[in-house]
């Protein structure tokens, strides 16, 4: 039987087996941002260590960056302090930093791919759980904690146990109005928010093969929402074509050799897996979350579950969700009023997301009851959108057009829900308090569903509108 | 500063049960409190939004109950610590005095973060957790012991065999949980790996 990509890439990077039984794994690309790295620099400095491979770490700022006014110094003194810390740390240790004064700043999981830093066959680590995004290229991306950032800075390695690999085979054709976001929300709803613990997810099958790189990134991004630390897609011609010509990609003859290597590591048709899960894309509909975990999602035409009918292990969290959201068992999500529409994040803040939403919004107006805004995932996404005239479409429709950052996905910046506001959001987490108000409410959905909800003032089935 | 090399063979103390599945790291430490460049002040913000109402008044959370004051062991349910990879979560708990966690299951990154701080996160079955919580709620003064070397949780008359990934157990017991020194110990092997990786060598075909 053949090998899957995960095992091939892992073995390439395995330095040795440690006494604990974990593997020492070399990290090919390390990305850092301002929230989880300052303590790691402090730790290595306290121990008199240096950064072993500063040329393999790249930094940006995203979480705390204001999106309305990016003038320095930031009004928020704490945010300014964090900004200065990453500026100082990267300068001191010789790490390339894509700051606000460059045209390459943006959400860490958006800039890695767009700069060509993210490549097949790499191990990639970042102190952020959505590092699984980079797996869309056939890399192995790990979200890590700050002590592990310390390890990568000091040793370019992680001490880590090899997970099992589950193939998620998606077949069939997506219907109009159904997107990559709906595929991953369905997978999480089916396998559970803890179903992926101890697994890497390989997304495969004809449906995945037919997706663009940006769509594959959306799916891999939310692997962690299903408990899987790693999610990936084997590289193919779509991957190779995407990387070609990007600033940090190999060029010329080296690119041809690289492409040959990338093709060689893809999982073969007879590759072995620890588990396989099948998903039929033909029957998928737009998904909307109704609760407080990303697994609490229903098809937009469906009704919310009755707690009594749920498996025992889901009852308590469903009760909590109903208490927080104020929804009624058996109600439909269609017609649910919203207050805020947020388009952005590392899940859905890429150029294709903005194009699709803008296409839908042409000639339409945001409901007067809704505040809507779009936050490009990076400066390059913003630049491209500007070149295509997208900001004009958004602003004509009544969407605010902002600077690049994480924004209201996690609200570590001025973009926050107020009170019990309900937000139609293209982001990745609907946890209680996630969007900045302890009583705020989040409905996760695809970017086009967010645009449609903004216009209607309520959740609608986008399939009836396009 | 010397490398940290502390053997964690057992942890014991009073225990505090935190009820609920899927308690995410945004609940353990809301993002707005992560605007800091050190972990030092995080303790007071642990579970902040679960403990306080919008006016900052205490709502009644086990961390604020007199009977669980000074608890150093936390008892949790399933998928504890899901969501964000923020080490701020276990760092905040540690600053509230938590030294060990007993639960039904953990999110992977959270469990790894705990281990790299020297905090054992061990697993019992849902039924055993129920028994343990009942025992602690009945007698909050009871000492609960996570005997890592022995592989058991001991609480009064109760004795439960726990599970923990063998690598985590090994690294805690032998004091290698602070992995930097372990990883630094073999830089020659790292150099060999670097020399063999196609993308660090111009993608030249090996051999």
């Amino acid at each position: 039987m053949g090998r899957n990509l995960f095992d091939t890439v892992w073995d390439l990077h395995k330095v040795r087996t440690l006494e604990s039984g974990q593997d020492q794994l070399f990290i090919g690309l390390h990305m850092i941002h301002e929230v989880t790295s300052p303590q790691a620099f402090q730790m290595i400095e306290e121990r008199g260590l240096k950064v072993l491979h500063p040329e393999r770490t790249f930094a940006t700022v995203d979480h705390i960056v204001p999106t309305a006014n990016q003038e320095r110094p930031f009004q928020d003194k704490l945010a300014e302090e964090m900004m200065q810390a990453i500026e100082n740390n990267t300068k001191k240790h010789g790490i390339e930093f894509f700051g606000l004064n460059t045209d390459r700043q943006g959400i860490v999981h958006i800039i890695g791919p767009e700069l060509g830093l993210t490549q097949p066959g790499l191990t990639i680590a970042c102190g952020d759980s959505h590092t699984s995004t980079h797996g869309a290229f056939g890399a192995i991306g790990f979200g890590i904690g700050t002590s592990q950032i310390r390890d990568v800075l000091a040793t370019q390695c992680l001490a880590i146990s090899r997970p099992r690999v589950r193939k998620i085979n998606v077949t069939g054709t997506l219907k109009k109005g159904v997107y990559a976001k709906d595929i991953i929300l369905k997978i999480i709803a089916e396998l559970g928010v803890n179903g992926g613990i101890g697994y890497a997810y390989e997304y495969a099958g004809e449906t995945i093969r037919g997706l663009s790189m940006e769509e594959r990134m959306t799916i891999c991004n939310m692997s962690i929402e299903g408990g899987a630390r790693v999610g990936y897609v084997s590289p193919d011609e779509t991957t190779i074509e995407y990387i070609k010509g990007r600033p940090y990609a190999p060029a010329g003859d080296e690119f041809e050799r690289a492409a040959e290597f990338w093709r060689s590591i893809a999982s073969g048709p007879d590759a072995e897996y620890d588990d396989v899960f099948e998903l039929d894309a033909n029957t998928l509909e737009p998904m909307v979350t109704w609760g407080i975990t990303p697994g609490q999602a229903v098809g937009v035409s469906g009704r919310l579950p009755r707690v009594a009918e749920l498996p025992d292990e889901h009852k308590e969290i469903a009760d909590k969700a109903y208490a927080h959201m104020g929804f009624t068992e058996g109600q439909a999500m269609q017609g649910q009023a919203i207050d805020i529409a947020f388009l952005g994040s590392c899940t859905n803040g890429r150029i294709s997301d903005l194009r699709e939403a803008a296409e839908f919004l042409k000639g339409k107006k945001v409901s007067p009851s809704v505040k809507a805004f779009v936050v490009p995932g990076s400066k390059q996404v913003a630049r491209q959108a500007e070149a295509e005239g997208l900001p004009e479409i958004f602003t004509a429709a009544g969407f605010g057009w902002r600077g690049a950052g994480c924004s209201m996905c996690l609200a570590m910046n001025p973009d926050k829900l107020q009170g019990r506001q309900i937000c139609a959001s293209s982001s990745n987490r609907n946890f209680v308090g996630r969007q900045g108000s302890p009583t705020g409410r989040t409905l996760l959905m695809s970017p086009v569903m967010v645009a449609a909800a903004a216009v209607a003032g309520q959740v609608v089935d986008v399939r009836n509108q396009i | 500063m010397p490398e940290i090399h502390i053997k964690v063979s057992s942890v014991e103390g009073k225990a505090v049960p935190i009820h609920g599945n899927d308690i995410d790291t945004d609940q353990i430490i809301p993002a707005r409190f992560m605007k800091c460049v050190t972990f030092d002040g995080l303790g007071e913000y642990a579970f902040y939004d679960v403990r306080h109402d919008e006016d900052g008044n205490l709502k009644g959370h086990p961390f604020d109950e007199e009977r669980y004051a000074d608890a150093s062991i936390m008892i949790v349910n399933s998928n504890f610590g899901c969501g964000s990879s923020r080490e701020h979560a276990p760092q905040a708990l540690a600053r509230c005095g938590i030294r060990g966690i007993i639960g039904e299951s953990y999110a992977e990154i959270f469990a790894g973060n705990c281990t790299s701080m020297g905090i054992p996160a061990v697993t019992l079955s849902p039924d055993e957790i129920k028994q343990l919580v009942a025992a602690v709620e009945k007698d909050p003064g009871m000492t609960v012991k996570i005997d890592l070397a022995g592989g058991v949780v001991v609480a009064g008359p109760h004795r439960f065999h726990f599970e923990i990934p063998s690598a985590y157990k090994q690294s805690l017991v032998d004091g290698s949980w602070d992995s930097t020194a372990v990883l630094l110990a073999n830089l020659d092997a790292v150099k060999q790996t670097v020399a063999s990786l196609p993308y660090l060598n111009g993608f030249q075909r090996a051999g």
Side-chain angles (χ1 to χ4, degrees), chain A residues 12-16 18-20 22 24 26 28 35-36 38-39 42-43 46-47 49 52-53 56 64 76 78 81-82 85 119 121-122 127-129 143-148 150-151 154-155 157-159 161 193-194 196-199 224 227 229 250 254 257-258 260-262 293 313 316-317 320 410 412 429 431 434 438-439, chain B residues 1-4 19-27 31-40 49 54 77-79 82-88 91 105-109 112-113 116-117 165-168 170-171 174 176-187 189-190 193-194 196-205:
Chain A
L12 272 174
H13 291 84
K14 180 176 164 179
V15 175
R16 60 177 179 139
L18 302 171
E19 269 175 49
S20 69
Q22 290 182 307
Q24 176 165 357
F26 183 80
V35 178
T36 57
Q39 302 85 351
Q42 188 189 344
M43 292 178 196
E46 280 171 359
R47 296 174 191 202
L49 297 169
L52 188 66
H53 282 286
R56 305 220 63 80
I64 55 132
D76 178 343
L78 295 172
E81 188 186 355
M82 294 173 84
Q119 295 169 18
L122 290 178
D128 190 287
S129 62
I144 57 176
T146 296
S147 294
Q148 290 179 307
R150 172 199 68 205
D151 286 352
T155 74
C157 291
L158 284 175
S161 298
V193 290
N194 56 1
I197 295 177
Y199 282 98
I224 186 67
R229 191 177 194 177
E254 192 182 349
R257 294 196 300 272
E260 194 183 331
F261 167 65
W262 296 338
T293 79
E313 68 269 26
E316 177 241 324
I317 190 80
K320 267 192 192 170
L410 90 167
M412 275 193 81
R429 290 189 174 134
F431 298 153
R434 172 77 179 182
T439 53
Chain B
M1 182 178 149
E3 294 300 335
I4 298 165
H19 293 276
N21 297 333
D22 305 317
I23 292 182
D24 56 78
T25 52
D26 277 83
Q27 285 181 57
R32 64 183 184 281
F33 300 119
M34 295 178 4
K35 278 197 211 150
C36 51
V37 294
T38 75
F39 291 130
D40 298 344
D49 290 338
E54 283 179 280
N77 297 113
S78 81
N79 200 26
C82 59
S84 158
S85 62
R86 60 189 71 164
E87 190 171 307
H88 301 65
Q91 291 280 357
S105 66
Y106 306 92
E108 211 169 305
I109 304 178
N113 283 342
S116 54
M117 294 171 58
S166 58
Y168 288 173
Q170 177 74 21
S171 65
D174 71 15
S176 65
W177 50 269
D178 184 317
S179 36
T180 307
V182 177
L183 295 172
L184 272 176
N186 207 342
L187 285 186
V190 175
T193 303
V194 166
S196 72
L197 280 166
Y199 59 87
L200 295 179
N201 296 281
F203 294 98
Q204 301 292 349
R205 218 190 296 254

Side-chain angles (χ1 to χ4, degrees), chain A residues 84-98:
Chain A
Q84 289 178 14
I86 195 160
E87 285 168 342
N88 293 338
N89 285 327
T90 51
K91 195 171 169 190
K92 191 166 168 186
H93 293 279
I95 291 167
E96 191 160 1
F97 174 49
F98 306 117

Side-chain angles (χ1 to χ4, degrees), chain B residues 97-169:
Chain B
I98 299 301
R99 295 287 172 269
I101 311 181
I102 305 168
E104 291 172 31
S105 66
Y106 306 92
E108 211 169 305
I109 304 178
F110 179 84
N113 283 342
C114 287
T115 308
S116 54
M117 294 171 58
I119 297 175
V122 304
T123 304
L124 297 180
S125 72
D127 184 55
E128 289 166 331
I129 289 288
K130 216 174 267 177
Q131 292 179 49
L132 181 61
V133 168
V136 166
E137 286 180 341
K138 197 173 161 200
D139 177 11
M142 163 192 287
T143 295
V144 175
K145 180 176 182 181
I146 302 172
D147 176 356
L148 265 175
V152 287
V153 167
V154 183
H158 299 280
R159 224 179 126 82
F160 303 111
H161 287 271
F162 65 74
E163 289 187 22
I164 184 171
S166 58
Y168 288 173
K169 177 179 172 177

Side-chain angles (χ1 to χ4, degrees), chain A residues 18 59 90 114 127 186 219 297 433:
Chain A
L18 302 171
T90 51
E114 75 186 4
K186 181 68 175 177
I219 291 177

